Coordinates of all heavy atoms in Angstrom, one line a residue:
M14 N 4.4 -46.6 -8.1 CA 4.3 -46.6 -9.5 C 4.9 -48.0 -10.0 O 5.8 -48.5 -9.5 CB 5.2 -45.5 -10.1 CG 4.6 -44.1 -9.9 SD 5.2 -42.9 -11.2 CE 6.8 -42.6 -10.6
P15 N 4.3 -48.4 -11.1 CA 4.8 -49.7 -11.7 C 6.1 -49.5 -12.4 O 6.5 -48.4 -12.8 CB 3.7 -50.1 -12.7 CG 3.0 -48.8 -13.1 CD 3.1 -47.9 -11.8
L16 N 6.8 -50.6 -12.6 CA 8.0 -50.6 -13.4 C 7.7 -51.2 -14.8 O 6.8 -52.0 -14.9 CB 9.1 -51.5 -12.7 CG 9.5 -51.0 -11.3 CD1 10.5 -52.0 -10.8 CD2 10.0 -49.6 -11.3
F17 N 8.4 -50.8 -15.8 CA 8.2 -51.3 -17.1 C 9.6 -51.6 -17.7 O 10.5 -50.9 -17.5 CB 7.5 -50.3 -18.0 CG 6.1 -50.1 -17.7 CD1 5.7 -49.2 -16.7 CD2 5.1 -50.9 -18.3 CE1 4.3 -49.1 -16.3 CE2 3.8 -50.8 -18.0 CZ 3.4 -49.9 -17.0
A18 N 9.6 -52.8 -18.4 CA 10.8 -53.2 -19.1 C 10.6 -53.0 -20.6 O 9.5 -53.3 -21.1 CB 11.0 -54.7 -18.8
L19 N 11.5 -52.3 -21.2 CA 11.5 -52.1 -22.6 C 12.5 -53.0 -23.2 O 13.7 -53.0 -22.9 CB 11.9 -50.6 -23.0 CG 11.1 -49.5 -22.1 CD1 11.7 -48.2 -22.5 CD2 9.6 -49.7 -22.4
I20 N 12.0 -53.9 -24.1 CA 12.8 -54.9 -24.7 C 12.9 -54.6 -26.2 O 11.9 -54.7 -26.9 CB 12.2 -56.3 -24.5 CG1 12.1 -56.6 -23.0 CG2 13.1 -57.4 -25.1 CD1 11.0 -57.6 -22.6
C21 N 14.1 -54.1 -26.6 CA 14.2 -53.4 -27.9 C 15.2 -54.3 -28.7 O 16.3 -54.6 -28.3 CB 14.8 -52.1 -27.8 SG 14.0 -51.0 -26.6
T22 N 14.8 -54.6 -29.9 CA 15.6 -55.4 -30.8 C 16.0 -54.5 -32.0 O 15.2 -53.9 -32.7 CB 14.7 -56.6 -31.4 OG1 14.3 -57.4 -30.3 CG2 15.6 -57.5 -32.3
D23 N 17.3 -54.4 -32.2 CA 17.9 -53.6 -33.3 C 17.5 -54.2 -34.7 O 17.4 -55.4 -34.8 CB 19.4 -53.6 -33.2 CG 19.9 -52.8 -32.1 OD1 19.1 -52.3 -31.3 OD2 21.1 -52.6 -32.0
K24 N 17.4 -53.4 -35.7 CA 17.3 -53.8 -37.0 C 18.7 -54.5 -37.4 O 19.7 -54.1 -36.8 CB 17.0 -52.6 -38.0 CG 15.7 -52.1 -37.8 CD 15.5 -50.9 -38.7 CE 14.1 -50.2 -38.5 NZ 14.0 -49.0 -39.3
A25 N 18.7 -55.3 -38.4 CA 19.9 -56.0 -38.8 C 20.9 -55.0 -39.3 O 20.5 -54.0 -40.0 CB 19.6 -57.0 -39.9
E26 N 22.1 -55.2 -39.0 CA 23.3 -54.4 -39.5 C 23.2 -52.9 -39.3 O 23.4 -52.1 -40.1 CB 23.5 -54.8 -41.0 CG 23.8 -56.2 -41.3 CD 24.0 -56.5 -42.7 OE1 24.4 -55.7 -43.5 OE2 23.8 -57.8 -43.1
C27 N 22.7 -52.6 -38.1 CA 22.5 -51.2 -37.7 C 23.5 -50.7 -36.7 O 23.3 -49.7 -36.0 CB 21.1 -50.9 -37.2 SG 19.9 -50.7 -38.6
E28 N 24.7 -51.4 -36.5 CA 25.6 -50.9 -35.5 C 26.1 -49.5 -35.8 O 26.2 -48.7 -34.8 CB 26.8 -51.9 -35.4 CG 27.6 -51.6 -34.2 CD 28.6 -52.7 -33.8 OE1 28.4 -53.8 -34.3 OE2 29.5 -52.5 -33.0
P29 N 26.4 -49.1 -37.0 CA 26.8 -47.7 -37.2 C 25.7 -46.7 -36.8 O 26.0 -45.6 -36.2 CB 27.0 -47.6 -38.8 CG 27.3 -49.0 -39.2 CD 26.5 -49.9 -38.3
L30 N 24.4 -47.0 -37.0 CA 23.3 -46.1 -36.5 C 23.3 -46.1 -35.0 O 23.1 -45.0 -34.4 CB 22.0 -46.7 -37.1 CG 20.8 -45.8 -36.8 CD1 20.9 -44.4 -37.3 CD2 19.5 -46.5 -37.3
R31 N 23.5 -47.2 -34.4 CA 23.5 -47.3 -32.9 C 24.7 -46.4 -32.4 O 24.5 -45.6 -31.5 CB 23.7 -48.7 -32.5 CG 23.9 -48.9 -30.9 CD 24.0 -50.4 -30.6 NE 22.7 -51.0 -30.3 CZ 22.1 -50.9 -29.1 NH1 22.6 -50.3 -28.1 NH2 20.9 -51.5 -29.0
K32 N 25.9 -46.6 -33.0 CA 27.0 -45.8 -32.5 C 26.8 -44.3 -32.7 O 27.2 -43.5 -31.8 CB 28.3 -46.3 -33.2 CG 28.8 -47.6 -32.7 CD 30.0 -48.1 -33.4 CE 30.5 -49.4 -32.8 NZ 31.7 -49.9 -33.5
A33 N 26.2 -43.9 -33.8 CA 26.0 -42.5 -34.1 C 25.0 -41.8 -33.1 O 25.1 -40.6 -32.9 CB 25.5 -42.4 -35.5
N34 N 24.1 -42.6 -32.5 CA 23.1 -42.1 -31.6 C 23.3 -42.4 -30.2 O 22.5 -42.1 -29.3 CB 21.8 -42.5 -32.1 CG 21.3 -41.9 -33.4 OD1 20.9 -40.7 -33.4 ND2 21.6 -42.5 -34.5
R35 N 24.4 -43.1 -29.9 CA 24.7 -43.6 -28.5 C 24.8 -42.5 -27.5 O 24.2 -42.6 -26.4 CB 26.0 -44.5 -28.5 CG 26.2 -45.1 -27.2 CD 27.3 -46.2 -27.3 NE 27.8 -46.7 -26.0 CZ 27.2 -47.6 -25.3 NH1 26.0 -48.1 -25.7 NH2 27.7 -47.9 -24.1
E36 N 25.5 -41.4 -27.8 CA 25.7 -40.4 -26.9 C 24.3 -39.7 -26.5 O 24.1 -39.5 -25.3 CB 26.6 -39.3 -27.4 CG 27.0 -38.3 -26.4 CD 28.1 -37.3 -27.0 OE1 29.1 -37.8 -27.6 OE2 27.9 -36.1 -26.7
A37 N 23.5 -39.4 -27.5 CA 22.2 -38.9 -27.2 C 21.3 -39.9 -26.4 O 20.6 -39.5 -25.5 CB 21.5 -38.5 -28.5
H38 N 21.4 -41.1 -26.7 CA 20.6 -42.2 -26.0 C 21.0 -42.2 -24.5 O 20.2 -42.2 -23.7 CB 20.9 -43.5 -26.7 CG 20.4 -44.7 -25.9 ND1 19.1 -45.0 -25.7 CD2 21.1 -45.6 -25.3 CE1 19.0 -46.2 -25.0 NE2 20.2 -46.5 -24.7
L39 N 22.3 -42.2 -24.3 CA 22.8 -42.3 -22.9 C 22.4 -41.0 -22.2 O 22.1 -41.1 -21.0 CB 24.3 -42.5 -22.9 CG 24.8 -43.9 -23.4 CD1 26.3 -44.0 -23.4 CD2 24.2 -45.0 -22.6
A40 N 22.5 -39.9 -22.8 CA 22.1 -38.6 -22.1 C 20.6 -38.7 -21.8 O 20.2 -38.3 -20.7 CB 22.3 -37.5 -23.0
Y41 N 19.8 -39.2 -22.7 CA 18.3 -39.4 -22.4 C 18.1 -40.3 -21.2 O 17.3 -40.0 -20.3 CB 17.6 -39.9 -23.7 CG 16.2 -40.1 -23.6 CD1 15.3 -39.0 -23.4 CD2 15.6 -41.4 -23.6 CE1 13.9 -39.2 -23.4 CE2 14.2 -41.5 -23.6 CZ 13.4 -40.4 -23.4 OH 12.0 -40.6 -23.3
L42 N 18.8 -41.4 -21.2 CA 18.7 -42.4 -20.0 C 19.0 -41.7 -18.7 O 18.4 -41.9 -17.7 CB 19.5 -43.6 -20.2 CG 19.2 -44.5 -21.4 CD1 20.3 -45.6 -21.5 CD2 17.8 -45.1 -21.3
N43 N 20.1 -40.9 -18.8 CA 20.6 -40.3 -17.5 C 19.9 -39.1 -17.1 O 19.9 -38.7 -15.9 CB 22.1 -40.0 -17.7 CG 23.0 -41.2 -17.7 OD1 22.8 -42.1 -16.8 ND2 23.9 -41.4 -18.6
T44 N 19.2 -38.4 -18.0 CA 18.5 -37.1 -17.6 C 17.0 -37.2 -17.5 O 16.4 -36.4 -16.9 CB 18.8 -36.0 -18.6 OG1 18.3 -36.4 -19.9 CG2 20.3 -35.7 -18.6
S45 N 16.4 -38.4 -17.9 CA 14.9 -38.5 -17.9 C 14.4 -38.6 -16.5 O 13.3 -38.3 -16.2 CB 14.5 -39.7 -18.7 OG 14.9 -40.9 -18.1
G46 N 15.3 -39.1 -15.5 CA 14.8 -39.3 -14.2 C 14.1 -40.5 -13.8 O 13.6 -40.7 -12.7
V47 N 13.8 -41.4 -14.8 CA 13.0 -42.6 -14.6 C 13.7 -43.9 -14.9 O 13.2 -45.0 -14.6 CB 11.7 -42.6 -15.5 CG1 10.9 -41.3 -15.1 CG2 12.0 -42.6 -16.9
T48 N 15.0 -43.9 -15.4 CA 15.7 -45.1 -15.7 C 16.3 -45.7 -14.5 O 17.0 -45.1 -13.8 CB 16.8 -44.7 -16.7 OG1 16.3 -44.0 -17.8 CG2 17.5 -46.0 -17.2
L49 N 15.9 -47.0 -14.3 CA 16.5 -47.7 -13.1 C 17.7 -48.6 -13.6 O 18.6 -48.7 -12.8 CB 15.4 -48.7 -12.5 CG 14.2 -48.0 -12.0 CD1 13.2 -49.0 -11.4 CD2 14.6 -46.9 -10.9
M50 N 17.6 -49.2 -14.7 CA 18.8 -49.9 -15.2 C 18.6 -50.0 -16.8 O 17.5 -49.9 -17.3 CB 18.9 -51.3 -14.6 CG 17.8 -52.2 -14.9 SD 18.0 -53.9 -14.2 CE 17.2 -53.7 -12.7
A51 N 19.8 -50.2 -17.4 CA 19.7 -50.3 -18.9 C 21.0 -50.9 -19.4 O 22.1 -50.8 -18.7 CB 19.5 -48.9 -19.5
G52 N 20.9 -51.5 -20.5 CA 22.1 -52.1 -21.1 C 21.8 -52.8 -22.4 O 20.6 -53.1 -22.7
P53 N 22.8 -53.0 -23.2 CA 22.6 -53.7 -24.5 C 22.5 -55.2 -24.4 O 23.1 -55.8 -23.6 CB 23.8 -53.2 -25.4 CG 24.9 -53.1 -24.3 CD 24.2 -52.6 -23.1
F54 N 21.8 -55.8 -25.4 CA 21.9 -57.2 -25.6 C 23.1 -57.4 -26.5 O 23.4 -56.6 -27.4 CB 20.6 -57.7 -26.3 CG 19.4 -57.7 -25.4 CD1 18.3 -56.9 -25.7 CD2 19.3 -58.5 -24.3 CE1 17.2 -56.8 -24.9 CE2 18.2 -58.5 -23.5 CZ 17.1 -57.6 -23.8
L55 N 23.8 -58.5 -26.3 CA 25.0 -58.8 -27.1 C 24.9 -60.1 -27.8 O 24.3 -61.1 -27.3 CB 26.2 -58.8 -26.1 CG 26.5 -57.6 -25.3 CD1 27.6 -57.8 -24.3 CD2 26.8 -56.4 -26.2
D56 N 25.6 -60.2 -28.9 CA 25.7 -61.4 -29.7 C 27.2 -61.5 -30.1 O 27.6 -60.8 -31.0 CB 24.8 -61.4 -30.9 CG 24.9 -62.7 -31.7 OD1 25.6 -63.7 -31.2 OD2 24.3 -62.8 -32.8
G57 N 28.0 -62.3 -29.3 CA 29.4 -62.3 -29.6 C 30.1 -61.0 -29.5 O 31.1 -60.7 -30.1
G58 N 29.6 -60.2 -28.6 CA 30.2 -58.8 -28.4 C 29.5 -57.7 -29.1 O 29.7 -56.6 -28.8
A59 N 28.8 -58.0 -30.2 CA 28.1 -57.0 -31.0 C 26.8 -56.7 -30.3 O 26.1 -57.6 -29.9 CB 27.9 -57.5 -32.4
M60 N 26.5 -55.4 -30.2 CA 25.2 -55.0 -29.6 C 24.0 -55.2 -30.6 O 24.2 -54.9 -31.8 CB 25.3 -53.5 -29.2 CG 26.3 -53.2 -28.1 SD 26.4 -51.5 -27.7 CE 27.6 -50.9 -28.9
T61 N 23.0 -55.8 -30.1 CA 21.9 -56.3 -31.0 C 20.5 -55.7 -30.5 O 19.5 -56.0 -31.1 CB 21.8 -57.8 -31.0 OG1 21.6 -58.3 -29.7 CG2 23.1 -58.4 -31.6
G62 N 20.5 -55.0 -29.4 CA 19.3 -54.5 -28.8 C 19.5 -53.9 -27.5 O 20.7 -53.7 -27.1
S63 N 18.5 -53.6 -26.8 CA 18.6 -52.9 -25.5 C 17.5 -53.4 -24.5 O 16.4 -53.7 -24.9 CB 18.4 -51.4 -25.6 OG 19.4 -50.8 -26.4
L64 N 17.8 -53.4 -23.3 CA 16.9 -53.7 -22.2 C 17.0 -52.4 -21.3 O 18.0 -52.0 -20.8 CB 17.2 -54.9 -21.3 CG 16.4 -55.1 -20.1 CD1 15.0 -55.4 -20.4 CD2 17.0 -56.2 -19.2
V65 N 15.8 -51.8 -21.1 CA 15.7 -50.6 -20.2 C 14.6 -50.8 -19.2 O 13.4 -51.2 -19.7 CB 15.5 -49.3 -21.0 CG1 15.5 -48.1 -20.2 CG2 16.5 -49.2 -22.2
V66 N 14.8 -50.6 -18.0 CA 13.8 -50.7 -17.0 C 13.5 -49.3 -16.4 O 14.5 -48.6 -16.0 CB 14.1 -51.7 -15.8 CG1 13.1 -51.7 -14.8 CG2 14.4 -53.1 -16.3
I67 N 12.3 -48.9 -16.5 CA 11.9 -47.5 -16.1 C 10.8 -47.5 -15.1 O 10.0 -48.5 -15.1 CB 11.5 -46.6 -17.4 CG1 10.4 -47.2 -18.1 CG2 12.7 -46.5 -18.3 CD1 9.9 -46.4 -19.3
D68 N 10.7 -46.5 -14.3 CA 9.7 -46.3 -13.3 C 8.8 -45.1 -13.7 O 9.3 -44.0 -13.6 CB 10.4 -46.0 -12.0 CG 9.5 -45.9 -10.8 OD1 8.3 -46.0 -11.0 OD2 10.0 -45.9 -9.6
V69 N 7.7 -45.4 -14.3 CA 6.8 -44.4 -14.8 C 5.3 -44.7 -14.3 O 5.1 -45.8 -13.8 CB 6.8 -44.3 -16.3 CG1 8.1 -43.7 -16.8 CG2 6.5 -45.6 -17.0
A70 N 4.4 -43.8 -14.5 CA 3.1 -43.9 -13.9 C 2.3 -45.0 -14.5 O 1.5 -45.7 -13.8 CB 2.3 -42.6 -14.1
D71 N 2.4 -45.3 -15.8 CA 1.5 -46.3 -16.5 C 2.1 -46.7 -17.9 O 3.2 -46.1 -18.3 CB 0.1 -45.8 -16.6 CG 0.0 -44.4 -17.3 OD1 0.9 -44.1 -18.2 OD2 -0.9 -43.7 -17.0
R72 N 1.4 -47.6 -18.5 CA 1.9 -48.1 -19.8 C 2.0 -47.0 -20.8 O 2.9 -46.9 -21.6 CB 1.0 -49.2 -20.3 CG 1.5 -49.8 -21.7 CD 0.6 -51.0 -22.1 NE 0.7 -52.1 -21.2 CZ 1.8 -53.0 -21.2 NH1 2.7 -52.9 -22.1 NH2 1.8 -54.0 -20.3
A73 N 1.0 -46.1 -20.8 CA 1.1 -45.0 -21.8 C 2.3 -44.1 -21.6 O 3.0 -43.7 -22.6 CB -0.2 -44.1 -21.7
A74 N 2.7 -43.9 -20.4 CA 3.9 -43.1 -20.1 C 5.2 -43.9 -20.5 O 6.1 -43.3 -21.1 CB 4.0 -42.8 -18.6
A75 N 5.2 -45.2 -20.4 CA 6.3 -46.0 -20.8 C 6.4 -46.0 -22.3 O 7.5 -45.9 -22.9 CB 6.1 -47.5 -20.3
E76 N 5.3 -46.1 -23.0 CA 5.3 -46.1 -24.5 C 5.8 -44.8 -25.0 O 6.5 -44.7 -25.9 CB 3.9 -46.5 -25.0 CG 3.6 -47.9 -24.8 CD 2.1 -48.3 -25.1 OE1 1.3 -47.4 -25.4 OE2 1.9 -49.5 -25.0
A77 N 5.3 -43.7 -24.3 CA 5.8 -42.3 -24.7 C 7.3 -42.2 -24.5 O 8.0 -41.6 -25.4 CB 5.0 -41.3 -24.0
W78 N 7.8 -42.6 -23.4 CA 9.2 -42.6 -23.1 C 10.0 -43.3 -24.1 O 11.0 -42.8 -24.6 CB 9.5 -43.1 -21.7 CG 10.9 -42.9 -21.2 CD1 11.3 -41.9 -20.4 CD2 12.0 -43.7 -21.5 NE1 12.6 -42.0 -20.2 CE2 13.1 -43.1 -20.8 CE3 12.2 -44.8 -22.2 CZ2 14.4 -43.6 -20.9 CZ3 13.5 -45.3 -22.2 CH2 14.6 -44.7 -21.6
A79 N 9.5 -44.5 -24.5 CA 10.2 -45.3 -25.5 C 10.3 -44.6 -26.8 O 11.3 -44.7 -27.5 CB 9.5 -46.7 -25.6
K80 N 9.2 -44.0 -27.2 CA 9.1 -43.3 -28.5 C 10.1 -42.1 -28.5 O 10.6 -41.7 -29.6 CB 7.8 -42.9 -28.8 CG 6.9 -44.0 -29.2 CD 5.4 -43.5 -29.6 CE 4.6 -44.7 -29.9 NZ 3.2 -44.4 -30.1
D81 N 10.4 -41.5 -27.4 CA 11.3 -40.3 -27.3 C 12.7 -40.7 -27.2 O 13.6 -39.8 -27.3 CB 10.9 -39.4 -26.1 CG 9.6 -38.6 -26.4 OD1 9.3 -38.4 -27.6 OD2 9.0 -38.1 -25.5
D82 N 13.1 -42.0 -27.0 CA 14.4 -42.4 -27.0 C 15.1 -42.1 -28.3 O 14.6 -42.4 -29.4 CB 14.4 -43.9 -26.7 CG 15.9 -44.5 -26.6 OD1 16.8 -43.9 -27.0 OD2 15.9 -45.7 -26.1
P83 N 16.3 -41.5 -28.3 CA 17.0 -41.1 -29.5 C 17.2 -42.3 -30.4 O 17.2 -42.2 -31.6 CB 18.3 -40.5 -29.0 CG 17.9 -39.8 -27.7 CD 16.9 -40.8 -27.1
Y84 N 17.4 -43.5 -29.8 CA 17.6 -44.7 -30.7 C 16.3 -45.0 -31.5 O 16.3 -45.3 -32.7 CB 17.9 -45.9 -29.8 CG 19.3 -46.1 -29.4 CD1 19.7 -47.0 -28.5 CD2 20.4 -45.4 -30.0 CE1 21.0 -47.3 -28.1 CE2 21.7 -45.6 -29.7 CZ 22.0 -46.5 -28.7 OH 23.3 -46.7 -28.3
A85 N 15.2 -44.8 -30.8 CA 13.9 -45.1 -31.5 C 13.6 -44.0 -32.6 O 13.2 -44.3 -33.7 CB 12.7 -45.1 -30.5
K86 N 13.9 -42.8 -32.2 CA 13.8 -41.7 -33.2 C 14.6 -41.8 -34.4 O 14.3 -41.4 -35.5 CB 14.0 -40.3 -32.5 CG 12.9 -39.9 -31.6 CD 13.2 -38.5 -31.0 CE 12.0 -38.0 -30.2 NZ 12.3 -36.6 -29.7
A87 N 15.8 -42.4 -34.2 CA 16.8 -42.6 -35.3 C 16.3 -43.8 -36.2 O 16.9 -44.1 -37.2 CB 18.2 -42.8 -34.8
G88 N 15.4 -44.6 -35.7 CA 14.9 -45.8 -36.5 C 15.8 -47.0 -36.3 O 15.8 -47.9 -37.1
L89 N 16.5 -47.1 -35.1 CA 17.4 -48.2 -34.8 C 16.6 -49.6 -34.6 O 17.1 -50.6 -35.0 CB 18.2 -48.0 -33.6 CG 19.1 -49.1 -33.1 CD1 20.2 -49.4 -34.1 CD2 19.8 -48.7 -31.8
F90 N 15.5 -49.5 -34.0 CA 14.8 -50.7 -33.5 C 13.8 -51.3 -34.6 O 13.0 -50.6 -35.1 CB 14.0 -50.4 -32.2 CG 14.9 -49.9 -31.1 CD1 14.5 -48.9 -30.3 CD2 16.0 -50.6 -30.7 CE1 15.3 -48.4 -29.3 CE2 16.8 -50.2 -29.7 CZ 16.4 -49.1 -29.0
A91 N 13.9 -52.6 -34.7 CA 13.0 -53.4 -35.5 C 11.7 -53.6 -34.7 O 10.6 -53.7 -35.2 CB 13.6 -54.7 -35.9
K92 N 11.9 -53.8 -33.4 CA 10.7 -54.1 -32.5 C 11.0 -53.6 -31.1 O 12.2 -53.6 -30.6 CB 10.5 -55.6 -32.4 CG 9.4 -56.0 -31.5 CD 9.2 -57.5 -31.6 CE 8.1 -58.0 -30.7 NZ 8.0 -59.4 -30.6
V93 N 10.0 -53.0 -30.4 CA 10.1 -52.6 -29.0 C 8.9 -53.2 -28.3 O 7.7 -53.0 -28.6 CB 10.1 -51.1 -28.9 CG1 10.1 -50.7 -27.4 CG2 11.2 -50.4 -29.6
R94 N 9.2 -54.0 -27.3 CA 8.1 -54.6 -26.4 C 8.1 -53.7 -25.1 O 9.2 -53.5 -24.5 CB 8.4 -56.0 -26.1 CG 8.1 -57.0 -27.1 CD 8.4 -58.5 -26.7 NE 8.0 -58.8 -25.4 CZ 8.6 -59.7 -24.6 NH1 9.6 -60.4 -25.2 NH2 8.2 -60.0 -23.4
V95 N 7.0 -53.4 -24.7 CA 6.8 -52.7 -23.4 C 6.0 -53.6 -22.5 O 4.9 -54.0 -22.8 CB 6.1 -51.4 -23.6 CG1 5.9 -50.7 -22.2 CG2 6.8 -50.5 -24.5
E96 N 6.7 -54.1 -21.4 CA 6.1 -55.1 -20.5 C 6.1 -54.5 -19.1 O 7.2 -54.0 -18.6 CB 6.9 -56.4 -20.5 CG 7.0 -57.0 -21.9 CD 5.7 -57.7 -22.2 OE1 4.8 -57.9 -21.4 OE2 5.5 -58.0 -23.4
E97 N 5.0 -54.6 -18.4 CA 5.0 -54.2 -17.0 C 5.8 -55.3 -16.2 O 5.7 -56.5 -16.6 CB 3.5 -54.2 -16.4 CG 3.4 -53.6 -15.0 CD 2.0 -53.3 -14.6 OE1 1.1 -53.4 -15.4 OE2 1.9 -52.9 -13.4
W98 N 6.6 -54.8 -15.3 CA 7.6 -55.7 -14.7 C 7.6 -55.5 -13.2 O 7.5 -54.4 -12.7 CB 9.0 -55.4 -15.2 CG 10.1 -56.3 -14.8 CD1 10.3 -57.5 -15.1 CD2 11.1 -55.9 -13.9 NE1 11.4 -58.0 -14.5 CE2 12.0 -57.0 -13.7 CE3 11.5 -54.7 -13.2 CZ2 13.1 -57.0 -12.9 CZ3 12.6 -54.7 -12.4 CH2 13.4 -55.8 -12.3
K99 N 7.7 -56.6 -12.5 CA 7.7 -56.6 -11.0 C 9.1 -57.0 -10.5 O 9.5 -58.2 -10.8 CB 6.7 -57.4 -10.4 CG 6.6 -57.5 -8.9 CD 5.6 -58.4 -8.3 CE 5.6 -58.4 -6.8 NZ 4.6 -59.3 -6.3
K100 N 9.8 -56.2 -9.8 CA 11.1 -56.5 -9.3 C 10.9 -57.4 -8.0 O 10.1 -57.1 -7.1 CB 11.8 -55.3 -8.8 CG 13.2 -55.6 -8.3 CD 13.9 -54.3 -7.9 CE 15.3 -54.5 -7.3 NZ 16.0 -53.3 -7.0
V101 N 11.5 -58.6 -8.0 CA 11.4 -59.6 -6.9 C 12.7 -59.7 -6.2 O 12.8 -59.8 -5.0 CB 10.9 -60.9 -7.5 CG1 10.8 -62.0 -6.4 CG2 9.5 -60.8 -8.1
I102 N 13.8 -59.8 -6.9 CA 15.1 -60.0 -6.4 C 16.1 -58.8 -6.8 O 16.0 -58.5 -8.0 CB 15.7 -61.3 -6.7 CG1 14.8 -62.4 -6.2 CG2 17.1 -61.5 -6.3 CD1 15.2 -63.8 -6.6
G103 N 16.9 -58.4 -6.0 CA 17.9 -57.4 -6.4 C 17.7 -56.0 -6.0 O 16.6 -55.5 -5.7

């Protein structure tokens, strides 16, 4: 199966929204069974987005997974890029 990187950019000044949905987001990452790695983008320590690498069947599955993320459902992201990704190192 291919890997997909989700590159998510938060809307401006949405840290309270991020914090309010963090527990549900982490539960989704941990229980979906497809998350390989994930973490926030930082700007001086403030979280400004997310990088999530998932192992799913195809782009449609990656896009569906991204839409079901509690952060996405809460309206946290200004933009979400879904990119097919090939692991080379690590």
Side-chain angles (χ1 to χ4, degrees):
M14 287 203 289
L16 302 178
F17 288 88
L19 309 178
I20 303 156
C21 310
T22 305
D23 290 2
K24 292 177 182 172
E26 300 180 24
C27 275
E28 191 165 348
L30 183 61
R31 175 179 272 275
K32 287 181 179 179
N34 290 278
R35 185 169 170 78
E36 188 174 316
H38 166 73
L39 293 175
Y41 182 65
L42 294 177
N43 287 312
T44 62
S45 68
V47 300
T48 308
L49 298 180
M50 66 176 92
F54 291 115
L55 302 173
D56 182 6
M60 293 179 276
T61 60
S63 299
L64 171 65
V65 182
V66 178
I67 58 175
D68 186 352
V69 294
D71 53 32
R72 181 175 297 278
E76 290 170 354
W78 189 95
K80 286 180 184 174
D81 283 339
D82 181 343
Y84 278 169
K86 287 183 173 185
L89 175 64
F90 300 131
K92 180 178 178 183
V93 177
R94 282 180 41 209
V95 177
E96 299 286 345
E97 190 168 354
W98 183 71
K99 179 181 178 183
K100 181 178 178 182
V101 176
I102 297 173

